[in-house]
Amino acid sequence: MDIKRSIRHKLGTVATELYLGDDLLGSALLQKLLLERKCVIVADVALKNLYAAELAAKLGAKLLTVPSGELAKRLETATHLIDQLLQMGVDKETTVIALGGGVTIDLVGFVASICLRGLPLILIPTTLLAMVDAAVGGKTAIDTAFGKNLIGTLYDPEAIVIDVSFLKTLPEKEWMNGLGEILKMGLIYDPSILALAEKNPKDQALVVRAVEGKIAIVEQDPKERGLRRILNFGHTIGHALETVSQYEIAHGEAVAIGSLAESYLSMRLGYLSKEEFDQIEKLYKRLPLQLPRLYAQEKLLDAFRYDKKNINGQVRVVLIDRIGHAMEFDGNYCLAVSQERLKETLDWLEKVYL
Ligand code: NAD
């Protein structure tokens, strides 16, 4: 692992320092950033003995844990965490450090954004998916019974520390998960990502390119009024799969399947050439994707109703017209798609992949 660099960037309205490198938590720069603060670390409980307890001891910080897994991303867990923070006597000067994957980042980010109307926040993502996506862009989220991420805030952390040395302990299946979001970035924004992933899906340069892509998009549209919507490519179908499978399918994997299906939809609507679609399909077919079991199609179609991009009950989907380019539709970056087309795409997915 040989990425040795730090990037400082301004995301949204607050300046967020973004550090990306190898073994950063041992570096003098980071020690300084963290040691000078009154901190509480909130970590995924699965990381307590792996990283969190050691980091807390090093920083002299208090440590709280939250449960692992998507089902932890709900209001009950958030209110319990708020109670714990208040009981511990946090004040506006207490920095909350979120340590974990996307679930922990979303949940703890949400809590930090509302507790005492906002506590300073530092994100330390530990999964590939959280490094390239969840930690960058200031979105926090909580799931509801109606669907994923339906509650949340936009809240910029003071710093994001992307330390690729955490990836050493990442289970194989979690790599696939992160790759789902990385490849999506390749399809919508940076075609060089697909070429790199084809050669070596664990190339460290993929982390850098995906993070740079996300920053470039978010900086242009921090509040998701237009361009930022392209990050939702693959997510209309992806979120529906996650919801209907009751999170049996992990987010990144659902996004990978969703990206392939929405590439198919882009082709069927006449925007993406058959040649480029075939190229995409060839790459995705080589990935060890865990394909969904047969989910009743009506349930998936019903789940589309809760997609956050919908307007007046119409399901809107991000589309691509070539590899590395998401389409703009009068500043909207997504297009209303008929039930027939959505159904046809799900039929294709079932026929080819189930
Ligand atoms: P996750 O947080 O559940 O982590 C996956 C698993 O990896 C967990 O079991 C965790 O305990 C384990 N783990 C974490 N770091 C590890 C490490 N270094 N070594 C070993 N095991 C480790 O899942 P995820 O895939 O990281 O994140 C998915 C979530 O991210 C979803 O809820 C999704 O909605 C959210 N997300 C948010 C945004 C955003 O912009 N806020 C963007 C993309 C995804």
Side-chain angles (χ1 to χ4, degrees):
M1 299 192 177
D2 60 352
I3 307 165
K4 285 269 185 246
R5 61 203 209 121
S6 300
I7 323 169
R8 278 165 163 255
H9 251 290
K10 191 175 178 325
L11 300 169
T13 49
V14 174
T16 298
E17 292 185 54
L18 192 148
Y19 303 93
L20 195 161
D22 204 345
D23 201 18
L24 282 178
L25 290 174
S27 75
L29 179 77
L30 262 292
Q31 295 272 5
K32 189 167 176 291
L33 171 78
L34 298 175
L35 273 174
E36 282 176 2
R37 293 166 180 264
K38 183 167 67 172
C39 301
V40 48
I41 298 175
V42 185
D44 178 333
V45 68
L47 303 184
K48 187 173 176 185
N49 296 328
L50 214 47
Y51 304 112
E54 194 188 328
L55 183 65
K58 227 196 266 180
L59 301 178
K62 290 190 177 138
L63 174 64
L64 291 175
T65 58
V66 287
S68 306
E70 188 69 36
L71 292 174
K73 232 174 84 174
R74 54 173 186 221
L75 274 178
E76 291 86 335
T77 329
T79 49
H80 179 59
L81 179 56
I82 291 169
D83 286 346
Q84 286 177 294
L85 287 168
L86 294 175
Q87 200 168 33
M88 151 186 293
V90 291
D91 57 33
K92 300 276 284 178
E93 305 268 284
T94 312
T95 299
V96 174
I97 300 178
L99 181 80
V103 165
T104 309
I105 297 285
D106 274 2
L107 169 71
V108 179
F110 176 70
V111 164
S113 75
I114 59 171
C115 188
L116 300 181
R117 295 210 180 90
L119 297 173
L121 173 68
I122 291 182
L123 303 178
I124 309 184
T126 59
T127 62
L128 182 59
L129 183 135
M131 290 179 190
V132 298
D133 201 0
V136 183
K139 278 189 184 176
T140 78
I142 292 285
D143 303 332
T144 82
F146 293 96
K148 266 184 69 83
N149 302 339
L150 295 182
I151 297 173
T153 50
L154 278 174
Y155 191 67
D156 287 302
E158 291 191 359
I160 305 166
V161 181
I162 299 179
D163 185 339
V164 292
S165 60
F166 285 115
L167 299 176
K168 284 178 194 147
T169 54
L170 201 66
E172 196 61 25
K173 137 177 194 306
E174 297 305 332
W175 279 91
M176 186 53 244
N177 232 344
L179 202 57
E181 292 283 9
I182 291 174
L183 293 178
K184 175 206 76 183
M185 185 60 76
L187 292 177
I188 59 168
Y189 187 75
D190 180 355
S192 74
I193 285 180
L194 292 205
L196 265 179
E198 201 142 22
K199 276 196 219 127
N200 174 13
K202 288 192 179 173
D203 191 332
Q204 295 297 309
L206 288 169
V207 178
V208 180
R209 300 240 179 127
V211 168
E212 282 175 347
K214 178 125 191 214
I215 289 172
I217 294 165
V218 170
E219 277 191 333
Q220 288 176 66
D221 178 19
K223 298 209 168 140
E224 199 165 325
R225 304 269 191 252
L227 179 73
R228 187 170 177 171
R229 273 192 210 121
I230 69 173
L231 294 168
N232 281 298
F233 183 71
H235 283 60
T236 307
I237 292 175
H239 275 168
L241 283 167
E242 273 184 280
T243 307
V244 172
S245 77
Q246 294 181 327
Y247 306 109
E248 196 188 292
I249 301 182
H251 180 73
E253 222 162 358
V255 167
I257 297 164
S259 299
L260 180 59
E262 291 176 24
S263 297
Y264 173 83
L265 180 61
S266 300
M267 177 185 71
R268 290 296 296 156
L269 290 170
Y271 298 120
L272 181 70
S273 72
K274 166 109 175 50
E275 292 69 38
E276 291 217 37
F277 173 72
D278 289 345
Q279 209 180 316
I280 295 167
E281 191 180 26
K282 205 170 123 215
L283 172 64
Y284 275 76
K285 272 190 162 163
R286 280 179 31 205
L287 303 174
L289 282 175
Q290 186 209 317
L291 297 166
R293 295 200 210 109
L294 193 74
Y295 296 115
Q297 207 180 77
E298 312 78 66
K299 283 193 184 167
L300 286 171
L301 290 167
D302 189 56
F304 291 153
R305 290 198 298 136
Y306 299 102
D307 192 279
K308 287 189 292 308
K309 296 183 295 304
N310 295 357
I311 287 189
N312 298 329
Q314 280 198 302
V315 179
R316 299 193 306 166
V317 185
V318 179
L319 299 166
I320 55 173
D321 55 2
R322 61 174 191 273
I323 293 174
H325 190 256
M327 299 176 71
E328 180 185 352
F329 297 95
D330 296 326
N332 272 318
Y333 296 92
C334 56
L335 186 73
V337 174
S338 67
Q339 284 288 100
E340 291 69 40
R341 285 293 190 202
L342 290 169
K343 206 172 158 334
E344 185 195 317
T345 304
L346 294 179
D347 284 341
W348 170 80
L349 197 59
E350 277 186 28
K351 201 167 102 218
V352 181
Y353 288 93
L354 296 178

